[in-house]
Amino acid sequence: MRLEKKEIFVGLNGINIGKENGLRAGLYNSPNSSGGQRRKSMEWRNYSRRHPNCTLFLLIAGVLFLFGFAIVALQRHPNPGTHLPDRTETMDDTGEGVLSPNSLSRQLADQMTLCKSYAVIAKENSNLDLAWHLSAQIRASQQLLSLAATRGTPITWDEAEPIMREMSSLIYQAKELHYDSATMLMKLKAEMQALEEMANTAATQSATFGQLAAEAVPKSLYCLSLRLAIKWATDADLREKVIKEQKQVAPALVNNNLLHFCVFSDNILGASVVVNSTIMNAHSPERLVFHVVTDAVNYGAMQTWFSINDFKDVVIEIKTVESFTWLNASYVPVLKQLQDAETQSYYFRSTGQNEGEAQKTALKFRNPKYLSMLNHLRFYIPEVYPELDKVVFLDDDVVVQRDLTELFSLNLHNNVNGAVETCLESFHRFHKYLNFSHPKIKSHFDPDACGWAFGMNVFDLVRWRQEGVTAHYHYWQEQNVDRTLWKLGTLPAGLLAFYGLTEPLDRRWHILGLGYDANIDAELIENGAVVHYNGNMKPWLKLAMSRYKPVWEKYVDYQNAYLQQCNFH
């Protein structure tokens, strides 16, 4: 019986497939193909034995490269775990090594700084023992650093360790005693507050003493006034001479073709310097007329002085403020206010919680220049001199250095007052003089409007009368009866009364500050037409600044017999 060979092919899913399909699927190899495949496999194995795999070769080469790289890297950067020489033995403590935080020199210097601070604090707290030990370690550190610098070798750990250990121990002790930064800051703050209070007290005392010195009449000036008054009272011929001269010069007093100057003062020497300096620097002194107003106490002395001294025959009129009988409390708001009990209390008594400040303010208000009618008379010039059209007003603490004739021909552009503005810095603007929180001030004036100075002013009296400036002054003085618009002085009242009616003049006409500012440019003073000693350091006082005093003394004749008798020098 002949058996047939059946070739059954089963697919991957268990389904029978034919031979043909099996061959296509690669599940069966024919005898021929099987033999060929075996030959190819044998040939490949033989080839592989003869030629190693290229991939394996590349892999081995890469491993060798990485191994070599690792060796080089380890040589350049040693393993942290390997032993290094002690840094304190090899660290260079010179140059860049000192800047390193690991430098022994740096560590010693830092500890020395702390020890120095704690030594000072320990002394302040009377812990002299700790301060002594800290100082001893500081000296030891300094000696070690000096030794290292001298020998040119770095500090070793064996040298530095005992000193550093001892300093660390002392610093710890200091911290235990609460010598830390927070505690010291609190102590320093308390000391600063105490020093600030002492400084404020000293400043108040200085201001008080300065104010008293400025207000007090020097003995020599009092002597001069007294001797001249005696001369006036005892010399009938002198009085007759003055009366005769007054009659002769009467027409000149109302002549608008002449140059009229006003000086309101009770200071004989101050008024004399103003008149003398104006005359000496005038191109045509014969055209000058001076209207001097003083009080009844100094009238005789003032008349005597201007009569017995040579002023180049210039017309000089002397009057007393008391002679203007219309200046009374019913017309002048300032005089009316000074009669009020509350105003007197405010000006002359120290009340309130801040007694020191109240006393300082009261002293300032007590200055005669704020209460004297001579100071407020400048607001009544058109009524004092009803026949005049234009005048130049000069304070008694100015010195004239140039001819002032040009002032009388200046075009004021329909303004009343010609004055030098003082707002080169913000301090001299309206908001520094006036209370702009008050609605009446806030609604009528510009807080940044420029201030100006009294002391050298050109007044157009015709325009003054037309604008009613004196009435404006009265209005604002009456509004300030409770002192809520401004505190003191005539300047705030002048700023309000002449608001919108002031013509700014060249600054060289009026140089200010010689009575308080020690840093005025010398060239500015030299080129100034009028220099003003406004401030407490008047040139006739001993507290005057020596730098500026020669400008004033130039016009004082110290050879005068009366001045020598009263020790003027």
Side-chain angles (χ1 to χ4, degrees):
M1 186 174 187
R2 187 180 173 183
L3 298 174
E4 265 185 44
K5 182 179 178 181
K6 273 187 156 185
E7 294 180 316
I8 300 173
F9 299 93
V10 181
L12 294 176
N13 54 1
I15 301 175
N16 295 336
I17 59 174
K19 180 178 180 180
E20 250 182 67
N21 292 331
L23 290 173
R24 282 198 199 99
L27 298 177
Y28 176 79
N29 291 324
S30 66
N32 293 336
S33 62
S34 176
Q37 183 68 27
R38 283 195 295 269
R39 284 195 299 271
K40 287 182 180 179
S41 297
M42 290 297 294
E43 289 175 0
W44 173 254
R45 283 196 294 270
N46 292 334
Y47 178 81
S48 299
R49 290 192 191 102
R50 291 193 303 266
H51 302 283
N53 195 325
C54 293
T55 303
L56 181 62
F57 176 77
L58 292 174
L59 179 62
I60 294 171
V63 170
L64 292 174
F65 175 78
L66 291 175
F67 181 72
F69 180 78
I71 292 174
V72 174
L74 286 174
Q75 288 178 349
R76 298 188 63 181
H77 302 282
N79 192 324
T82 60
H83 174 73
L84 290 175
D86 192 347
R87 62 177 175 79
T88 59
E89 296 176 359
T90 60
M91 179 65 68
D92 181 10
D93 285 339
T94 61
E96 295 181 359
V98 177
L99 301 178
S100 170
N102 295 326
S103 168
L104 288 177
S105 298
R106 170 75 174 271
Q107 295 178 32
L108 282 171
D110 290 345
Q111 284 192 318
M112 282 173 56
T113 303
L114 280 174
C115 287
K116 288 178 181 179
S117 301
Y118 286 133
V120 173
I121 297 170
K123 288 179 183 179
E124 290 181 353
N125 288 273
S126 302
N127 193 343
L128 300 180
D129 183 62
L130 178 59
W132 185 88
H133 283 91
L134 287 166
S135 299
Q137 294 306 314
I138 291 170
R139 287 193 297 273
S141 299
Q142 291 172 338
Q143 290 172 0
L144 180 57
L145 291 171
S146 298
L147 178 62
T150 303
R151 71 191 182 195
T153 58
I155 298 172
T156 65
W157 174 252
D158 292 336
E159 293 173 327
E161 189 268 340
I163 300 173
M164 293 174 66
R165 183 189 298 111
E166 185 63 26
M167 283 199 293
S168 297
S169 176
L170 293 171
I171 291 170
Y172 176 77
Q173 291 179 37
K175 289 183 177 179
E176 286 295 307
L177 292 170
H178 301 290
Y179 293 167
D180 56 284
S181 300
T183 305
M184 286 311 301
L185 283 173
M186 293 178 63
K187 290 182 179 179
L188 289 173
K189 186 176 181 180
E191 291 181 5
M192 287 177 62
Q193 289 177 345
L195 290 172
E196 187 176 355
E197 290 178 1
M198 292 174 61
N200 290 336
T201 302
T204 302
Q205 290 178 346
S206 177
T208 301
F209 296 150
Q211 193 69 35
L212 290 173
E215 294 172 11
V217 177
K219 183 179 179 181
S220 55
L221 199 58
Y222 178 78
C223 167
L224 178 63
S225 179
L226 185 60
R227 287 182 177 273
L228 292 171
I230 292 173
K231 173 70 174 175
W232 176 258
T234 58
D235 193 336
D237 294 337
L238 177 62
R239 294 195 299 273
E240 290 180 6
K241 174 187 174 185
V242 169
I243 293 172
K244 184 183 296 184
E245 288 176 350
Q246 288 177 346
K247 292 179 180 178
Q248 293 175 351
V249 301
L253 298 177
V254 295
N255 186 349
N256 282 300
N257 293 320
L258 301 178
L259 311 178
H260 296 267
F261 297 86
C262 298
V263 182
F264 305 149
S265 174
D266 58 358
N267 186 322
I268 298 168
L269 204 56
S272 174
V273 169
V274 174
V275 173
N276 194 27
S277 62
T278 307
I279 293 171
M280 290 182 65
N281 289 287
H283 297 326
S284 303
E286 68 279 0
R287 295 187 60 204
L288 306 183
V289 178
F290 288 91
H291 304 268
V292 179
V293 179
T294 186
D295 54 21
V297 174
N298 292 283
Y299 174 74
M302 197 79 76
Q303 284 283 20
T304 303
W305 179 263
F306 283 103
S307 296
I308 64 176
N309 289 294
D310 180 21
F311 290 94
K312 297 185 178 180
D313 297 327
V314 169
V315 176
I316 302 174
E317 176 195 32
I318 311 293
K319 285 189 175 183
T320 65
V321 68
E322 290 84 359
S323 65
F324 307 118
T325 55
W326 45 270
L327 286 174
N328 50 55
S330 62
Y331 178 64
V332 180
V334 171
L335 294 177
K336 182 179 180 180
Q337 291 168 12
L338 288 175
Q339 293 177 356
D340 182 65
E342 183 181 351
T343 303
Q344 291 177 0
S345 176
Y346 179 77
Y347 274 81
F348 297 108
R349 294 183 179 87
S350 298
T351 57
Q353 296 179 350
N354 190 348
E355 192 69 19
E357 187 64 26
Q359 182 180 5
K360 182 179 175 182
T361 303
L363 279 169
K364 196 169 186 179
F365 285 149
R366 213 172 288 153
N367 192 322
K369 77 174 185 177
Y370 295 122
L371 306 176
S372 172
M373 194 58 214
L374 283 173
N375 197 42
H376 292 268
L377 189 62
R378 65 192 66 189
F379 294 104
Y380 301 95
I381 292 176
E383 295 167 80
V384 174
Y385 307 107
E387 297 88 358
L388 298 182
D389 296 337
K390 182 175 285 190
V391 299
V392 170
F393 170 78
L394 298 172
D395 267 339
D396 62 359
D397 54 355
V398 306
V399 175
V400 178
Q401 300 186 122
R402 275 177 48 192
D403 178 51
L404 301 183
T405 304
E406 186 181 344
L407 288 174
F408 290 86
S409 59
L410 287 178
N411 184 1
L412 298 182
H413 299 96
N414 278 335
N415 288 307
V416 176
N417 173 29
V420 170
E421 293 184 331
T422 56
C423 58
L424 296 178
E425 51 192 45
S426 62
F427 177 78
H428 295 289
R429 296 190 182 274
F430 270 43
H431 63 84
K432 292 295 182 180
Y433 299 103
L434 303 168
N435 177 20
F436 272 87
S437 64
H438 197 290
K440 289 185 179 178
I441 296 294
K442 186 177 181 180
S443 61
H444 287 84
F445 304 99
D446 177 10
D448 291 322
C450 193
W452 45 268
F454 273 127
M456 196 290 297
N457 306 83
V458 184
F459 290 128
D460 185 337
L461 302 185
V462 176
R463 288 288 299 146
W464 184 317
R465 298 181 186 101
Q466 292 173 351
E467 293 291 340
V469 174
T470 302
H472 296 165
Y473 164 72
H474 283 176
Y475 171 80
W476 289 112
Q477 280 287 359
E478 290 168 354
Q479 297 301 310
N480 195 44
V481 66
D482 55 357
R483 298 165 300 280
T484 56
L485 304 186
W486 71 90
K487 292 297 182 183
L488 77 165
T490 55
L491 181 55
L495 295 177
L496 301 182
F498 291 99
Y499 186 68
L501 298 172
T502 299
E503 177 70 17
L505 303 181
D506 190 299
R507 189 185 177 195
R508 290 172 294 180
W509 281 111
H510 190 187
I511 307 302
L512 295 146
L514 277 71
Y516 68 91
D517 187 356
N519 299 311
I520 303 176
D521 183 48
E523 185 177 355
L524 191 65
I525 295 174
E526 184 179 354
N527 295 330
V530 176
V531 293
H532 194 170
Y533 291 82
N534 55 313
N536 285 337
M537 299 180 184
K538 302 299 184 186
W540 52 82
L541 299 176
K542 288 186 177 180
L543 53 79
M545 284 182 275
S546 57
R547 179 189 171 199
Y548 304 137
K549 201 167 182 178
V551 177
W552 185 81
E553 289 180 328
K554 180 180 177 181
Y555 301 98
V556 179
D557 180 15
Y558 286 107
Q559 302 304 315
N560 183 281
Y562 283 97
L563 297 185
Q564 290 186 343
Q565 290 171 8
C566 294
N567 297 319
F568 277 96
H569 51 77

PDB file of all heavy atoms in Angstrom, residues 346-363:
ATOM      1  N   TYR A 346      -1.082 138.387  73.920  1.00  0.00           N
ATOM      2  CA  TYR A 346      -0.418 137.603  72.882  1.00  0.00           C
ATOM      3  C   TYR A 346       1.002 138.097  72.634  1.00  0.00           C
ATOM      4  O   TYR A 346       1.928 137.308  72.453  1.00  0.00           O
ATOM      5  CB  TYR A 346      -1.226 137.682  71.592  1.00  0.00           C
ATOM      6  CG  TYR A 346      -0.622 136.930  70.426  1.00  0.00           C
ATOM      7  CD1 TYR A 346      -0.711 135.547  70.346  1.00  0.00           C
ATOM      8  CD2 TYR A 346       0.049 137.604  69.413  1.00  0.00           C
ATOM      9  CE1 TYR A 346      -0.161 134.854  69.274  1.00  0.00           C
ATOM     10  CE2 TYR A 346       0.601 136.924  68.338  1.00  0.00           C
ATOM     11  CZ  TYR A 346       0.489 135.550  68.276  1.00  0.00           C
ATOM     12  OH  TYR A 346       1.037 134.877  67.226  1.00  0.00           O
ATOM     13  N   TYR A 347       1.172 139.429  72.654  1.00  0.00           N
ATOM     14  CA  TYR A 347       2.476 139.993  72.345  1.00  0.00           C
ATOM     15  C   TYR A 347       3.437 139.942  73.525  1.00  0.00           C
ATOM     16  O   TYR A 347       4.643 139.827  73.338  1.00  0.00           O
ATOM     17  CB  TYR A 347       2.330 141.457  71.901  1.00  0.00           C
ATOM     18  CG  TYR A 347       2.035 141.616  70.427  1.00  0.00           C
ATOM     19  CD1 TYR A 347       0.754 141.466  69.935  1.00  0.00           C
ATOM     20  CD2 TYR A 347       3.041 141.904  69.535  1.00  0.00           C
ATOM     21  CE1 TYR A 347       0.479 141.603  68.583  1.00  0.00           C
ATOM     22  CE2 TYR A 347       2.787 142.047  68.174  1.00  0.00           C
ATOM     23  CZ  TYR A 347       1.495 141.893  67.714  1.00  0.00           C
ATOM     24  OH  TYR A 347       1.240 142.021  66.376  1.00  0.00           O
ATOM     25  N   PHE A 348       2.933 140.033  74.734  1.00  0.00           N
ATOM     26  CA  PHE A 348       3.824 140.240  75.878  1.00  0.00           C
ATOM     27  C   PHE A 348       3.829 139.117  76.910  1.00  0.00           C
ATOM     28  O   PHE A 348       4.622 139.149  77.834  1.00  0.00           O
ATOM     29  CB  PHE A 348       3.458 141.549  76.588  1.00  0.00           C
ATOM     30  CG  PHE A 348       3.639 142.748  75.711  1.00  0.00           C
ATOM     31  CD1 PHE A 348       2.555 143.437  75.205  1.00  0.00           C
ATOM     32  CD2 PHE A 348       4.907 143.195  75.379  1.00  0.00           C
ATOM     33  CE1 PHE A 348       2.724 144.548  74.395  1.00  0.00           C
ATOM     34  CE2 PHE A 348       5.085 144.299  74.566  1.00  0.00           C
ATOM     35  CZ  PHE A 348       3.992 144.974  74.075  1.00  0.00           C
ATOM     36  N   ARG A 349       2.957 138.128  76.764  1.00  0.00           N
ATOM     37  CA  ARG A 349       2.937 137.053  77.750  1.00  0.00           C
ATOM     38  C   ARG A 349       3.165 135.723  77.067  1.00  0.00           C
ATOM     39  O   ARG A 349       2.708 135.501  75.961  1.00  0.00           O
ATOM     40  CB  ARG A 349       1.608 137.028  78.510  1.00  0.00           C
ATOM     41  CG  ARG A 349       1.391 138.250  79.376  1.00  0.00           C
ATOM     42  CD  ARG A 349       0.093 138.139  80.178  1.00  0.00           C
ATOM     43  NE  ARG A 349      -0.121 139.292  81.018  1.00  0.00           N
ATOM     44  CZ  ARG A 349      -0.725 140.417  80.619  1.00  0.00           C
ATOM     45  NH1 ARG A 349      -1.170 140.504  79.385  1.00  0.00           N
ATOM     46  NH2 ARG A 349      -0.868 141.438  81.434  1.00  0.00           N
ATOM     47  N   SER A 350       3.833 134.835  77.794  1.00  0.00           N
ATOM     48  CA  SER A 350       4.090 133.480  77.294  1.00  0.00           C
ATOM     49  C   SER A 350       2.994 132.567  77.805  1.00  0.00           C
ATOM     50  O   SER A 350       2.919 132.271  78.992  1.00  0.00           O
ATOM     51  CB  SER A 350       5.448 132.975  77.788  1.00  0.00           C
ATOM     52  OG  SER A 350       6.476 133.790  77.311  1.00  0.00           O
ATOM     53  N   THR A 351       2.109 132.143  76.918  1.00  0.00           N
ATOM     54  CA  THR A 351       1.030 131.243  77.303  1.00  0.00           C
ATOM     55  C   THR A 351       1.007 130.063  76.364  1.00  0.00           C
ATOM     56  O   THR A 351       1.534 130.103  75.262  1.00  0.00           O
ATOM     57  CB  THR A 351      -0.327 131.956  77.228  1.00  0.00           C
ATOM     58  OG1 THR A 351      -0.506 132.460  75.902  1.00  0.00           O
ATOM     59  CG2 THR A 351      -0.406 133.095  78.235  1.00  0.00           C
ATOM     60  N   GLY A 352       0.377 128.991  76.783  1.00  0.00           N
ATOM     61  CA  GLY A 352       0.269 127.812  75.936  1.00  0.00           C
ATOM     62  C   GLY A 352       1.081 126.673  76.479  1.00  0.00           C
ATOM     63  O   GLY A 352       1.824 126.785  77.452  1.00  0.00           O
ATOM     64  N   GLN A 353       0.940 125.533  75.852  1.00  0.00           N
ATOM     65  CA  GLN A 353       1.593 124.328  76.332  1.00  0.00           C
ATOM     66  C   GLN A 353       3.091 124.363  76.064  1.00  0.00           C
ATOM     67  O   GLN A 353       3.893 123.963  76.889  1.00  0.00           O
ATOM     68  CB  GLN A 353       0.968 123.092  75.661  1.00  0.00           C
ATOM     69  CG  GLN A 353      -0.494 122.897  76.036  1.00  0.00           C
ATOM     70  CD  GLN A 353      -1.083 121.689  75.337  1.00  0.00           C
ATOM     71  OE1 GLN A 353      -0.479 121.103  74.454  1.00  0.00           O
ATOM     72  NE2 GLN A 353      -2.278 121.312  75.758  1.00  0.00           N
ATOM     73  N   ASN A 354       3.470 124.821  74.912  1.00  0.00           N
ATOM     74  CA  ASN A 354       4.888 124.860  74.551  1.00  0.00           C
ATOM     75  C   ASN A 354       5.480 126.157  75.066  1.00  0.00           C
ATOM     76  O   ASN A 354       5.555 127.154  74.370  1.00  0.00           O
ATOM     77  CB  ASN A 354       5.046 124.761  73.034  1.00  0.00           C
ATOM     78  CG  ASN A 354       6.496 124.554  72.643  1.00  0.00           C
ATOM     79  OD1 ASN A 354       7.403 124.697  73.455  1.00  0.00           O
ATOM     80  ND2 ASN A 354       6.702 124.218  71.379  1.00  0.00           N
ATOM     81  N   GLU A 355       5.888 126.141  76.338  1.00  0.00           N
ATOM     82  CA  GLU A 355       6.336 127.360  76.984  1.00  0.00           C
ATOM     83  C   GLU A 355       7.586 127.934  76.327  1.00  0.00           C
ATOM     84  O   GLU A 355       7.718 129.134  76.164  1.00  0.00           O
ATOM     85  CB  GLU A 355       6.616 127.061  78.467  1.00  0.00           C
ATOM     86  CG  GLU A 355       6.818 128.301  79.326  1.00  0.00           C
ATOM     87  CD  GLU A 355       5.557 129.105  79.511  1.00  0.00           C
ATOM     88  OE1 GLU A 355       4.458 128.553  79.293  1.00  0.00           O
ATOM     89  OE2 GLU A 355       5.663 130.285  79.838  1.00  0.00           O
ATOM     90  N   GLY A 356       8.538 127.040  75.939  1.00  0.00           N
ATOM     91  CA  GLY A 356       9.768 127.512  75.318  1.00  0.00           C
ATOM     92  C   GLY A 356       9.498 128.214  74.011  1.00  0.00           C
ATOM     93  O   GLY A 356      10.015 129.298  73.747  1.00  0.00           O
ATOM     94  N   GLU A 357       8.672 127.614  73.173  1.00  0.00           N
ATOM     95  CA  GLU A 357       8.350 128.215  71.882  1.00  0.00           C
ATOM     96  C   GLU A 357       7.549 129.496  72.069  1.00  0.00           C
ATOM     97  O   GLU A 357       7.740 130.476  71.354  1.00  0.00           O
ATOM     98  CB  GLU A 357       7.561 127.210  71.042  1.00  0.00           C
ATOM     99  CG  GLU A 357       7.314 127.657  69.615  1.00  0.00           C
ATOM    100  CD  GLU A 357       8.596 127.797  68.822  1.00  0.00           C
ATOM    101  OE1 GLU A 357       9.589 127.121  69.161  1.00  0.00           O
ATOM    102  OE2 GLU A 357       8.599 128.603  67.867  1.00  0.00           O
ATOM    103  N   ALA A 358       6.636 129.504  73.052  1.00  0.00           N
ATOM    104  CA  ALA A 358       5.844 130.705  73.310  1.00  0.00           C
ATOM    105  C   ALA A 358       6.732 131.854  73.772  1.00  0.00           C
ATOM    106  O   ALA A 358       6.548 132.999  73.376  1.00  0.00           O
ATOM    107  CB  ALA A 358       4.781 130.402  74.371  1.00  0.00           C
ATOM    108  N   GLN A 359       7.721 131.525  74.603  1.00  0.00           N
ATOM    109  CA  GLN A 359       8.639 132.558  75.065  1.00  0.00           C
ATOM    110  C   GLN A 359       9.455 133.117  73.907  1.00  0.00           C
ATOM    111  O   GLN A 359       9.667 134.318  73.800  1.00  0.00           O
ATOM    112  CB  GLN A 359       9.572 131.985  76.129  1.00  0.00           C
ATOM    113  CG  GLN A 359      10.526 133.010  76.711  1.00  0.00           C
ATOM    114  CD  GLN A 359      11.445 132.403  77.756  1.00  0.00           C
ATOM    115  OE1 GLN A 359      11.424 131.198  77.968  1.00  0.00           O
ATOM    116  NE2 GLN A 359      12.252 133.224  78.382  1.00  0.00           N
ATOM    117  N   LYS A 360       9.894 132.210  73.030  1.00  0.00           N
ATOM    118  CA  LYS A 360      10.666 132.638  71.866  1.00  0.00           C
ATOM    119  C   LYS A 360       9.841 133.546  70.965  1.00  0.00           C
ATOM    120  O   LYS A 360      10.315 134.579  70.477  1.00  0.00           O
ATOM    121  CB  LYS A 360      11.135 131.402  71.096  1.00  0.00           C
ATOM    122  CG  LYS A 360      11.983 131.701  69.878  1.00  0.00           C
ATOM    123  CD  LYS A 360      12.412 130.409  69.213  1.00  0.00           C
ATOM    124  CE  LYS A 360      13.169 130.665  67.924  1.00  0.00           C
ATOM    125  NZ  LYS A 360      13.546 129.398  67.256  1.00  0.00           N
ATOM    126  N   THR A 361       8.573 133.180  70.747  1.00  0.00           N
ATOM    127  CA  THR A 361       7.682 133.984  69.907  1.00  0.00           C
ATOM    128  C   THR A 361       7.406 135.341  70.544  1.00  0.00           C
ATOM    129  O   THR A 361       7.414 136.370  69.876  1.00  0.00           O
ATOM    130  CB  THR A 361       6.365 133.225  69.673  1.00  0.00           C
ATOM    131  OG1 THR A 361       6.652 131.969  69.084  1.00  0.00           O
ATOM    132  CG2 THR A 361       5.441 134.018  68.765  1.00  0.00           C
ATOM    133  N   ALA A 362       7.169 135.322  71.877  1.00  0.00           N
ATOM    134  CA  ALA A 362       6.883 136.576  72.578  1.00  0.00           C
ATOM    135  C   ALA A 362       8.069 137.527  72.492  1.00  0.00           C
ATOM    136  O   ALA A 362       7.907 138.732  72.307  1.00  0.00           O
ATOM    137  CB  ALA A 362       6.535 136.287  74.032  1.00  0.00           C
ATOM    138  N   LEU A 363       9.275 136.996  72.621  1.00  0.00           N
ATOM    139  CA  LEU A 363      10.463 137.834  72.510  1.00  0.00           C
ATOM    140  C   LEU A 363      10.573 138.465  71.126  1.00  0.00           C
ATOM    141  O   LEU A 363      10.960 139.618  70.973  1.00  0.00           O
ATOM    142  CB  LEU A 363      11.714 136.995  72.799  1.00  0.00           C
ATOM    143  CG  LEU A 363      12.043 136.759  74.272  1.00  0.00           C
ATOM    144  CD1 LEU A 363      13.129 135.711  74.407  1.00  0.00           C
ATOM    145  CD2 LEU A 363      12.465 138.053  74.942  1.00  0.00           C
TER     146      LEU A 363
END
